[in-house]
Amino acid sequence: MSTSPTSEFATHRVAERFVAHGPPLSFRRLCGEVLSSKTSYLVLDLDGTVHLRRNLGELLGWELSAYRAYGLPTMERLESGRHSARWLFDWGDPRRLVRYVIGAASDWTGPGMRYLLWSKLASSSPRRRRAGLRRFRGDPIRIAQRGVQTTLMDQLASESPELVPTLMERIWQRHRDDQVVTAEDIAWIRTSFPNIEIVLSSASPQPVVSFVAERLGIEHAHGSTPDRINSGEAKIELLEQTFARFGEPGVEVVGISDTAHGDDHCWSQHFTRVVDINSPAPFPPIVSESSPLEEVHSATVLSRHELQQRALDPAYLDTRRNAGEPAWRRELARSELLGVMDSLLQRFNAIVRDANPLADPVDVAYRLSVLRESSRAQLA
């Protein structure tokens, strides 16, 4: 019996087109390539997408710890000499310094260590990822993420609503140079593609997402609430609830995300075009036969600071990036993708087709996740 990807027994396929955009480019230039007059919805991730290597929800947690220990006047006084995105040490006041360190450790050691172990480390270790799947009987990244978000939302609930915008403004200004997506970019998109609905969708708490959406000029802000963590498929469910046409055949949806730890990989099962930017875990080009996905794009997108510096030094890149930048643009049509990964796709379909109903679904999910990641590695 044939196991060809074109066989009637195939459950998965490759995208119609894959584009690696090569040398770094601006967010606006990227949007000019991935959006079209037919695009109805543009969905943007927040953390690691709007800013280079910055998680604003996490940074708000650290800012809250500093606020509780020092208060705003001391934070303002120390701001100009601040050297860390997270920690804020007032060496001139040992009593408050000790209270700050103990308070931050008490709040974040537990959920932070679980997130480190089952999200950041597990995403880079197949053995640990498999152990996490077995332990939690589900995605360990989502479960670890839920613990961090719940802790932060519990803290926010104990503070006045007016405090969050005050602290977020400090974070926003502090990391202005790290912005990859700016209000000017969003305004350009609206002018160039006036029929697009733009959504900022993130696992960060709703007040964080709402603040950033307002600063960028985005009207739809989807974040986490105490009874609902907005990650993975939950993002899709909220999009379907918000927009009547979302998911209808022929409705073009574009998603742009850094896809850290694979958080947004499910987008490829629902969107027309997915774009990973500055990503440590790019979108795989393998999707189910029922997916509307047409294209996968991958790009290195420059921050505000990098764009300014490259006017003087065209090769400049932030030191937090991996060494070396893509040297050339690469485009592959479906037939070319199959030429690269036909064997892998046949193995993928065989696992799905031949899975024993009594087999542990965790083992099946793990094997498929490894093959998905291998599919992108083959395109490197």
Side-chain angles (χ1 to χ4, degrees):
M1 185 178 294
S2 171
T3 58
S4 166
T6 59
S7 162
E8 61 181 303
F9 300 103
T11 60
H12 288 72
R13 62 176 177 84
V14 295
E16 297 299 316
R17 181 171 176 247
F18 170 79
V19 182
H21 285 261
L25 72 169
S26 69
F27 180 75
R28 196 173 305 184
R29 180 178 169 187
L30 174 68
C31 287
E33 294 201 39
V34 301
L35 301 178
S36 76
S37 60
K38 297 179 180 180
T39 306
S40 296
Y41 303 104
L42 169 61
V43 183
L44 295 175
D45 178 46
L46 170 54
D47 298 312
T49 301
V50 172
H51 291 77
L52 178 65
R53 304 287 195 270
R54 299 297 185 193
N55 183 317
L56 298 195
E58 175 195 349
L59 293 175
L60 177 59
W62 288 103
E63 203 77 358
L64 272 170
S65 295
Y67 169 78
R68 289 177 169 182
Y70 299 128
L72 281 175
T74 299
M75 293 172 71
E76 292 288 353
R77 175 173 58 82
L78 297 174
E79 182 66 26
S80 62
R82 191 167 190 170
H83 301 294
S84 169
R86 296 176 175 85
W87 292 98
L88 181 63
F89 297 120
D90 185 4
W91 300 106
D93 191 336
R95 181 180 60 84
R96 287 189 176 183
L97 176 60
V98 170
R99 184 170 69 181
Y100 168 58
V101 172
I102 292 176
S106 175
D107 290 338
W108 294 108
T109 297
M113 289 302 295
R114 283 192 294 273
Y115 185 76
L116 173 65
L117 180 64
W118 297 115
S119 182
K120 293 191 175 182
L121 296 182
S123 65
S124 60
S125 169
R127 179 179 297 181
R128 189 171 297 281
R129 188 186 315 133
R130 190 169 198 167
L133 285 167
R134 286 178 171 171
R135 173 173 177 170
F136 299 110
R137 310 306 299 177
D139 188 344
I141 294 175
R142 305 285 179 269
I143 293 168
Q145 187 180 57
R146 186 178 300 120
V148 172
Q149 298 297 353
T150 299
T151 299
L152 178 55
M153 285 187 285
D154 286 345
Q155 291 185 1
L156 293 177
S158 67
E159 303 291 348
S160 67
E162 295 78 16
L163 178 64
V164 175
T166 299
L167 297 183
M168 282 302 304
E169 185 64 35
R170 291 170 50 81
I171 295 168
W172 187 256
Q173 294 302 327
R174 187 181 308 137
H175 300 293
R176 183 178 183 276
D177 285 349
D178 288 325
Q179 272 187 260
V180 172
V181 183
T182 67
E184 293 78 14
D185 292 329
I186 299 301
W188 178 87
I189 291 173
R190 293 195 185 287
T191 300
S192 303
F193 307 95
N195 296 322
I196 288 182
E197 297 268 17
I198 305 176
V199 186
L200 186 65
S201 183
S202 172
S204 282
Q206 185 64 48
V208 175
V209 185
S210 296
F211 175 90
V212 176
E214 181 181 352
R215 287 295 181 274
L216 292 177
I218 296 175
E219 65 270 35
H220 301 290
H222 293 177
S224 294
T225 60
D227 58 348
R228 181 186 167 282
I229 302 299
N230 191 50
S231 68
E233 288 288 345
K235 289 187 176 183
I236 303 301
E237 293 168 4
L238 187 52
L239 288 166
E240 292 172 339
Q241 294 168 14
T242 305
F243 303 105
R245 296 180 61 238
F246 183 90
E248 290 184 357
V251 175
E252 187 170 286
V253 183
V254 176
I256 301 179
S257 171
D258 75 316
T259 67
H261 317 306
D263 285 359
D264 293 324
H265 282 184
C266 65
W267 289 9
S268 62
Q269 301 301 321
H270 303 275
F271 293 4
T272 314
R273 198 170 297 120
V274 292
V275 188
D276 57 74
I277 66 173
N278 304 326
S279 178
F283 286 109
I286 293 179
V287 294
S288 67
E289 285 283 358
S290 61
S291 167
L293 185 75
E294 296 176 2
E295 300 177 7
V296 175
H297 291 250
S298 188
T300 299
V301 183
L302 298 164
S303 68
R304 187 195 299 269
H305 178 67
E306 288 174 316
L307 284 168
Q308 293 170 345
Q309 290 298 115
R310 285 169 79 94
L312 303 174
D313 177 6
Y316 178 84
L317 282 175
D318 192 288
T319 56
R320 290 169 293 169
R321 293 188 184 272
N322 295 330
E325 62 181 53
W328 60 83
R329 181 185 176 99
R330 187 184 188 194
E331 296 188 38
L332 298 175
R334 180 177 182 273
S335 59
E336 294 169 305
L337 280 171
L338 283 174
V340 174
M341 58 184 60
D342 182 69
S343 174
L344 186 147
L345 184 58
Q346 290 191 39
R347 289 164 57 199
F348 196 100
N349 279 315
I351 291 173
V352 176
R353 185 190 66 237
D354 300 334
N356 188 325
L358 300 179
D360 187 343
V362 166
D363 287 332
V364 175
Y366 169 76
R367 292 168 65 194
L368 294 177
S369 71
V370 170
L371 287 179
R372 282 194 184 93
E373 292 175 10
S374 299
S375 69
R376 270 308 292 261
Q378 290 191 358
L379 297 176

